[in-house]
Amino acid sequence: MMLSLAILISWQLSVAQSRAVSGKVSDTGGNPLPGVSVTVKGTSQGAISDAAGKFSVQAANNATLVFSYIGYKAKEVVVGNQNNVDVTMEEDAASLNEVVVVGYGSQKKSQTTGAISQVTAKQITEMPLTNLGQALQGRAAGVDVSQSGSKPGAAPRILIRGRRSFNAGNDPLYVVDGIPLSAGYEDINPNDIQSMEVLKDATATAIYGARGANGVILVTTKRGANKGKTTVTLDTYAGASNAYSQLELFSGEEFAEYVREAYRATGLYRDAAGNPVPTGVADAAADAKVAVLGGDPNVAAGIAAGRNTQYQDLILRTGMMQNHTIGIQGGNEKTSFYISAGFFQDKGITKLLDFTRNSLRANIDHQINKRLKVGISSYMMYSIRNGENLNPYANTLSANPLGTPYNADGSLIFEPTNDALLSNPLSEVVDGVNIDNTKRYRIFNSIFAEVKILDGLTYRLNLGPDFTISRWGRFIGSETNARRRGDSQAFNENRFGFNFTMENIVNYNKNFGKHSLNVTGVQSIQKDNFETFGASVQGVPAQTQSFYSLNSASSVLGVGSNLIEWTINSYMGRVNYAFNDKYLVTLTMRRDGSSRFGENTKYGNFPGFALGWNITNEAFMKQISWVDLLKLRGGWGKVGNTGVSPYQTQGLLGRTTYAFGATGAFGYRPNTIGNADLRWESSANANIGLDFSIFRGRVQGSLELYETNTTDLLLSDFLPGSTGFNAVTRNVGHTRNRGIELGFTTVNVDTRGGFKWTTDFQFTKNKEEIVELYNGKVDDVGNRWFIGQPLNTYYDFKKVGIWQTNEADQARAFGSEVGQIKIQDTNGDGRITAADRVIIGNDVPKWAGGLTNRFEYKGFDLSFFLFGRFGNTILSGFHRNQLALAGRYQQIKVDYWTPNNPTNEFPRPRSNQEFPVFNSSLFYYDGSFIKLRNINFGYSLPSGVAKKIGAESIRIFSSIQQPKIWSSYLTKYNGVDPEAAITTSATGTTEVNSNVTPSTTVTTFGLNINF
């Protein structure tokens, strides 16, 4: 109370001493600036300059006036005894002179010639993140990020400008603080990231040569400061997660009726007199004859009791997510440092699934003398992941809802029904019975020494030792569905990885007159060693031993070990030249040698060149004052892909058995054919880009057009069986990606009252297609590879409806019957054969985009982020596995055909068929969606309040992740989140199925404090 009174008196005295302060605001040319925001620092008082640049505001003697205007540098002036304050504001070219990382160095944004997208620390902190991949979704044009369900610790799939390769992988290269990663990026704490640059075209990625075909993501972590002041930051949040939606399954009553209909369709649902019971009528005698109903006393009791056991509800829970990072940043003119410690935990919405990451980072830079500088970035991480290879949720989707999971005393019933293949899904999550545990340790270092040899000439040595140790343990107890009271099983695997990078970098930077020259030379070598050892056993005596005492088991199922090594040796040269900051030239050449390829083709050459024209620096543009930047650039480059596994060029042996006299013995035989001429896949990319900024930065962005042709694909070419081999890996085939990307930022409103509204928009359209295969321009129907279509195309029969009662004769003519799926007779021959299959669609969206809006007003801030994909097709594994319609297992609730419900959506259940005939035609759905990905609302306390507790700034916030999804697959067809697809092959083929955990909505509350 006393404190509040003192503040009030102080404020009144301040007002009493205030007076009118006026003045004029001009630019450096003396021209008046209208619309300039003039505020009294620390208050809501302010004014705006008029058409003549004049203003008037009430201010006290000790007040500070803050002048801000889009496109100009903010300026602060202490009033003192002045009644008149005239201010000259300078244009802010920071956005044009902003430095971006380009690999082995950096450039001013105005001088870049490649296609580069940037995500800043501010954007990263706008929403709670598990890993850096989530920060890229919808925020970088041309970058497709998809999250596969909500399993804690799962990393999203990232594609840059589509897929190119069938077998060599399509993942981008990640480079952290100059060192290429060999292991996962998900280990990195997102709060340590200062910025991420995405290199998308070959003119930008050519510096990484053989590994640049799929794009490069450069991650720069936070460094220290040389201001002599140490700052401490605390970023913390915690919250709850819940399933966004569940599959809607049949209720107990609906399940019973569906089973009855399945047996009616086959004439097996009859009353006591043997008469068929019509649709919609339940008969106790008929139920008793059906094993799944009255034939199972547990189910019969469930029908009588009106039971409806929904195991999804019983196994799902409210999850918990928390993240805490403390960072210390500081330094002086000699030494700067950034130190952080982080703790992240995600307890999933299903028991047994959780992920915990502990991290420490130390980034230290020291200037030994005027010529020598050294530094280290060291990151240590320890994580525990439970349930990576588990999904108890999947077991709930087939469980009979008429059974009961518990005895009267509350104990679990292992077999709720008489079905021998369905145990109680809740038994999977009993403590200790089902364990999948991975512990992972990682130490990633980037060490450098930089010597200034001459003015403009430097030599830098980069060393990057990267250690990864992990242990995976798996225990499957007796009372699980996998073992069904048989002997328990246990597995234990240890993995050790060591990757080492050494780079020698020479850089020459010189400005002479109107000329600017930068020359970079690199020699690099990277070696990787990865070892595994594992054992599996059966018959563990006690469940408490889990996977820790394999030697006590009754039998050994297997023992295995492996060693994989590879090396890349590289040489790179790059020249950047600019004349008068108007005309830009970039020339790059990299030569890579890889141990993965054949003796004759270990080395490959990867060139790149680009031209840029800063049109705004031309004399004829000086009169167009509303254009800040207009830069046209274009280039071509060739990059490679080393995604092929080591040793594929060699002839490998496989173990076989044979008779050694009268005794069986093991031996070895040739297993694969070596190919010493196997070489790199190469991608040639052409890119044209336009960078723009208008109206003093109110609108700025980039437009890109590109084409990428990937040749020499690593594919299996089939061989005659007489050779003893089925295929040999060769360089054959050609794929192409063409696309357009647009990304821009707008300042929509910026008022003198402190209200500001900005928007970020990203648009991507990519066309992916196969140009040639191993037989030239000939389709491979068996692999669903079609010339002119994407790498993953859905080719199948097309459903055109359900055979209706008035079509009985026509249905019989096609070998079908009323109530079953009607297939399109594509060739019109009156039969349904393989020739009637058509291309249903593909998983490549026609376009994708992201939209972020930010609002600020007097300390309050609000942002929301929308993300969407449109025009892609998804394969629904739920409609394959949870839609048998055979009358045995629980099903997705669908509109199925009956004589009383002549729908055209789904066929009539039948007890004599495991799946409906042509059921694959029910798997394909429109995968388009829009997601409200995140809403973030925050409030920054006034600086005076923050300083009372010794802080520079305090911000409290609340965030909701994924509160809304708009999708026809989700709402119309009773599916799940269409983004939640899992990759099922090297080509990136995806499907949504029961291995995916439900997507979540996460609500968090957090705090950002700077001391």
Side-chain angles (χ1 to χ4, degrees):
M1 182 68 180
M2 294 299 295
L3 177 62
S4 300
L5 183 61
I7 293 174
L8 179 61
I9 293 172
S10 174
W11 176 78
Q12 289 175 331
L13 289 173
S14 175
V15 171
Q17 296 171 0
S18 67
R19 65 186 189 282
V21 178
S22 58
K24 180 180 179 181
V25 187
S26 308
D27 63 15
T28 52
N31 302 308
L33 285 177
V36 176
S37 174
V38 184
T39 59
V40 180
K41 189 174 183 179
T43 74
S44 58
Q45 300 177 57
I48 191 167
S49 63
D50 60 19
K54 295 182 178 180
F55 70 92
S56 179
V57 66
Q58 291 289 325
N61 291 344
N62 60 349
T64 299
L65 299 184
V66 180
F67 298 81
S68 58
Y69 190 44
I70 293 175
Y72 288 80
K73 295 180 180 178
K75 194 165 187 176
E76 295 186 2
V77 177
V78 178
V79 174
N81 296 321
Q82 304 176 83
N83 292 321
N84 187 78
V85 177
D86 292 334
V87 172
T88 299
M89 298 188 71
E90 299 177 3
E91 287 194 38
D92 185 6
S95 61
L96 309 183
N97 294 323
E98 180 183 344
V99 174
V100 295
V101 178
V102 294
Y104 300 113
S106 58
Q107 280 185 291
K108 290 194 301 182
K109 185 178 288 186
S110 62
Q111 293 188 345
T112 58
T113 55
I116 303 174
S117 291
Q118 185 182 54
V119 177
T120 64
K122 180 180 179 181
Q123 292 172 301
I124 292 171
T125 57
E126 280 182 335
M127 56 187 287
L129 300 174
T130 304
N131 52 65
L132 65 86
Q134 294 174 344
L136 292 170
Q137 188 178 59
R139 299 176 186 271
V143 182
D144 185 38
V145 181
S146 55
Q147 183 70 40
S148 300
S150 61
K151 272 192 175 183
R157 184 195 67 170
I158 300 177
L159 292 176
I160 298 177
R161 292 185 170 182
R163 293 168 298 203
R164 302 157 186 80
S165 177
F166 290 98
N167 297 317
N170 292 287
D171 296 326
L173 173 68
Y174 300 90
V175 179
V176 179
D177 291 331
I179 302 299
L181 290 184
S182 62
Y185 69 80
E186 62 273 15
D187 292 333
I188 298 171
N189 182 355
N191 290 95
D192 288 337
I193 298 174
Q194 181 63 38
S195 70
M196 289 189 290
E197 277 80 13
V198 183
L199 312 185
K200 297 181 289 188
D201 70 333
T203 60
T205 64
I207 53 173
Y208 290 102
R211 291 173 291 177
N214 300 322
V216 180
I217 297 177
L218 305 177
V219 179
T220 303
T221 60
K222 296 175 181 177
R223 314 297 295 187
N226 56 8
K227 298 178 181 178
K229 179 182 178 181
T230 299
T231 60
V232 179
T233 60
L234 172 65
D235 297 299
T236 179
Y237 68 79
S241 58
N242 292 279
Y244 177 83
S245 65
Q246 302 175 23
L247 279 177
E248 187 178 0
L249 308 177
F250 286 134
S251 66
E253 182 180 348
E254 290 166 339
F255 176 80
E257 183 52 34
Y258 136 72
V259 175
R260 293 179 186 120
E261 190 60 32
Y263 282 83
R264 283 191 196 100
T266 54
L268 299 177
Y269 192 71
R270 296 175 179 271
D271 61 20
N275 299 314
V277 180
T279 296
V281 177
D283 183 89
D287 281 354
K289 298 176 184 179
V290 177
V292 184
L293 296 176
D296 186 333
N298 298 317
V299 176
I303 295 174
R307 187 179 295 141
N308 178 28
T309 304
Q310 293 297 321
Y311 287 92
Q312 289 183 90
D313 297 333
L314 298 176
I315 208 164
L316 293 176
R317 65 180 179 181
T318 296
M320 188 271 289
M321 183 181 292
Q322 60 177 318
N323 183 61
H324 315 286
T325 300
I326 185 168
I328 304 173
Q329 193 173 30
N332 53 36
E333 67 279 358
K334 285 284 188 180
T335 304
S336 62
F337 63 89
Y338 170 77
I339 301 172
S340 75
F343 173 79
F344 173 82
Q345 186 176 64
D346 183 3
K347 290 187 176 181
I349 57 173
T350 304
K351 194 175 180 182
L352 303 185
L353 305 185
D354 61 73
F355 174 72
T356 302
R357 180 181 62 220
N358 304 274
S359 63
L360 288 172
R361 174 174 290 278
N363 292 351
I364 301 172
D365 301 283
H366 180 66
Q367 189 77 46
I368 296 177
N369 53 46
K370 65 179 182 179
R371 291 190 177 275
L372 179 60
K373 182 180 181 180
V374 295
I376 182 172
S377 297
S378 184
Y379 181 70
M380 292 170 282
M381 188 279 310
Y382 166 53
S383 68
I384 303 174
R385 184 176 181 185
N386 289 304
E388 180 178 359
N389 305 288
L390 280 180
N391 191 4
Y393 173 77
N395 296 313
T396 69
L397 304 179
S398 300
N400 190 321
L402 295 169
T404 179
Y406 299 104
N407 290 304
D409 62 0
S411 60
L412 282 178
I413 301 174
F414 183 67
E415 294 177 337
T417 68
N418 287 345
D419 194 316
L421 297 181
L422 291 177
S423 61
N424 190 337
L426 301 181
S427 66
E428 303 294 311
V429 295
V430 172
D431 288 341
V433 76
N434 218 345
I435 300 174
D436 184 285
N437 176 270
T438 300
K439 289 186 176 181
R440 183 176 170 90
Y441 308 83
R442 188 167 188 183
I443 302 176
F444 177 81
N445 299 284
S446 174
I447 307 166
F448 77 89
E450 185 173 283
V451 181
K452 183 178 179 181
I453 302 173
L454 300 170
D455 185 29
L457 179 63
T458 61
Y459 163 76
R460 181 183 176 107
L461 172 65
N462 282 347
L463 300 176
D466 183 3
F467 302 86
T468 304
I469 302 173
S470 66
R471 189 272 296 139
W472 172 60
R474 180 80 169 94
F475 176 78
I476 308 172
S478 177
E479 290 210 339
T480 59
N481 198 56
R483 301 306 303 148
R484 297 200 59 80
R485 291 179 169 157
D487 286 343
S488 57
Q489 292 182 343
F491 310 85
N492 199 321
E493 182 176 85
N494 291 277
R495 306 157 184 165
F496 175 79
F498 175 64
N499 186 278
F500 182 76
T501 302
M502 183 178 71
E503 296 176 331
N504 295 283
I505 307 169
V506 177
N507 189 278
Y508 179 70
N509 197 21
K510 184 71 175 178
N511 294 320
F512 42 98
K514 295 181 179 181
H515 305 275
S516 175
L517 179 67
N518 175 262
V519 181
T520 303
V522 178
Q523 185 276 324
S524 170
I525 189 165
Q526 185 173 13
K527 303 186 71 173
D528 190 85
N529 177 293
F530 184 70
E531 300 178 40
T532 62
F533 174 81
S536 58
V537 300
Q538 183 167 298
V540 177
Q543 184 170 294
T544 54
Q545 291 177 300
S546 186
F547 51 79
Y548 295 107
S549 184
L550 301 187
N551 58 299
S552 65
S554 59
S555 61
V556 177
L557 299 178
V559 176
S561 60
N562 197 16
L563 169 65
I564 299 175
E565 295 181 304
W566 55 262
T567 303
I568 293 179
N569 183 34
S570 308
Y571 306 89
M572 189 277 289
R574 179 179 63 199
V575 177
N576 287 315
Y577 169 75
F579 174 73
N580 203 22
D581 206 25
K582 293 182 185 178
Y583 312 113
L584 314 170
V585 179
T586 300
L587 300 174
T588 306
M589 172 60 78
R590 179 157 178 150
R591 180 170 173 81
D592 282 315
S594 173
S595 63
R596 305 184 192 213
F597 290 98
E599 289 294 331
N600 304 331
T601 54
K602 284 194 180 299
Y603 279 87
N605 298 319
F606 304 99
F609 72 88
L611 303 174
W613 178 25
N614 270 319
I615 303 173
T616 38
N617 290 340
E618 296 288 354
F620 63 81
M621 291 293 294
K622 297 302 181 183
Q623 302 304 315
I624 309 177
S625 59
W626 55 272
V627 178
D628 315 315
L629 170 67
L630 192 63
K631 181 177 68 176
L632 182 66
R633 49 186 168 74
W636 177 91
K638 187 176 181 181
V639 284
N641 192 339
T642 60
V644 63
S645 299
Y647 318 123
Q648 295 302 300
T649 61
Q650 304 173 15
L652 304 178
L653 297 177
R655 197 167 80 163
T656 186
T657 57
Y658 68 100
F660 186 73
T663 305
F666 291 112
Y668 294 88
R669 59 177 175 79
N671 195 40
T672 60
I673 298 179
N675 183 355
D677 295 322
L678 205 64
R679 60 186 181 275
W680 318 82
E681 290 187 354
S682 60
S683 295
N685 172 267
N687 190 94
I688 297 175
L690 180 69
D691 300 330
F692 58 88
S693 176
I694 57 178
F695 306 123
R696 296 188 179 94
R698 275 193 177 270
V699 181
Q700 53 183 312
S702 298
L703 175 67
E704 309 280 352
L705 298 171
Y706 64 87
E707 178 176 312
T708 302
N709 287 279
T710 302
T711 55
D712 296 331
L713 299 176
L714 295 161
L715 284 173
S716 293
D717 198 358
F718 295 106
L719 296 174
S722 58
T723 63
F725 298 92
N726 295 322
V728 61
T729 301
R730 292 179 53 215
N731 291 101
V732 289
H734 176 188
T735 61
R736 177 183 294 136
N737 281 272
R738 290 173 174 158
I740 180 171
E741 299 166 0
L742 174 64
F744 61 82
T745 297
T746 62
V747 180
N748 307 310
V749 178
D750 192 1
T751 70
R752 66 175 181 175
F755 177 69
K756 188 175 184 180
W757 170 27
T758 62
T759 298
D760 293 343
F761 177 74
Q762 305 290 339
F763 170 85
T764 301
K765 181 177 177 62
N766 178 72
K767 182 183 179 183
E768 174 186 301
E769 62 179 319
I770 300 170
V771 180
E772 288 185 3
L773 292 167
Y774 40 80
N775 289 327
K777 296 181 181 295
V778 179
D779 296 338
D780 181 344
V781 177
N783 283 313
R784 299 182 308 175
W785 294 339
F786 299 91
I787 304 301
Q789 295 293 326
L791 276 65
N792 179 39
T793 298
Y794 301 121
Y795 180 70
D796 211 329
F797 297 101
K798 184 177 182 179
K799 169 182 165 285
V800 292
I802 303 296
W803 290 111
Q804 301 299 324
T805 304
N806 61 356
E807 299 174 307
D809 293 339
Q810 188 180 0
R812 280 192 293 271
F814 279 92
S816 188
E817 62 181 85
V818 172
Q820 297 304 294
I821 299 172
K822 183 197 296 186
I823 295 298
Q824 174 179 287
D825 182 13
T826 305
N827 59 12
D829 64 355
R831 299 179 302 146
I832 301 300
T833 64
D836 292 311
R837 292 176 296 172
V838 295
I839 293 176
I840 303 295
N842 59 75
D843 63 354
V844 179
K846 288 184 171 58
W847 68 278
L851 180 71
T852 302
N853 280 284
R854 301 180 186 88
F855 305 89
E856 299 174 19
Y857 181 67
K858 294 183 178 179
F860 292 94
D861 62 88
L862 171 68
S863 67
F864 66 88
F865 172 40
L866 289 164
F867 170 69
R869 273 197 206 96
F870 307 90
N872 58 303
T873 300
I874 59 173
L875 192 158
S876 175
F878 288 113
H879 287 79
R880 175 185 60 207
N881 303 327
Q882 271 64 54
L883 195 58
L885 293 176
R888 180 174 181 179
Y889 303 117
Q890 174 66 296
Q891 307 284 287
I892 297 176
K893 184 178 179 180
V894 295
D895 182 19
Y896 60 83
W897 191 97
T898 72
N900 297 343
N901 181 44
T903 179
N904 273 298
E905 290 293 334
F906 293 92
R908 186 181 192 182
R910 291 185 62 89
S911 64
N912 64 350
Q913 58 187 26
E914 186 175 2
F915 293 99
V917 179
F918 297 118
N919 72 314
S920 63
S921 64
L922 303 174
F923 300 166
Y924 309 103
Y925 296 89
D926 180 10
S928 302
F929 67 84
I930 299 176
K931 286 187 174 185
L932 182 53
R933 188 73 176 83
N934 184 69
I935 302 175
N936 194 302
F937 177 70
Y939 176 65
S940 297
L941 274 63
S943 58
V945 176
K947 288 178 180 178
K948 287 183 182 300
I949 64 169
E952 291 291 326
S953 64
I954 301 174
R955 177 177 177 266
I956 55 176
F957 68 91
S958 177
S959 176
I960 304 176
Q961 294 186 64
Q962 200 162 267
K964 184 62 178 176
I965 303 173
W966 293 271
S967 161
S968 62
Y969 173 67
L970 176 63
T971 56
K972 183 178 179 181
Y973 293 104
N974 194 10
V976 295
D977 178 1
E979 185 190 4
I982 60 170
T983 302
T984 56
S985 73
T987 63
T989 300
T990 57
E991 68 175 60
V992 181
N993 62 34
S994 56
N995 286 323
V996 174
T997 54
S999 292
T1000 57
T1001 296
V1002 184
T1003 303
T1004 58
F1005 295 89
L1007 191 65
N1008 306 127
I1009 305 178
N1010 293 327
F1011 294 96

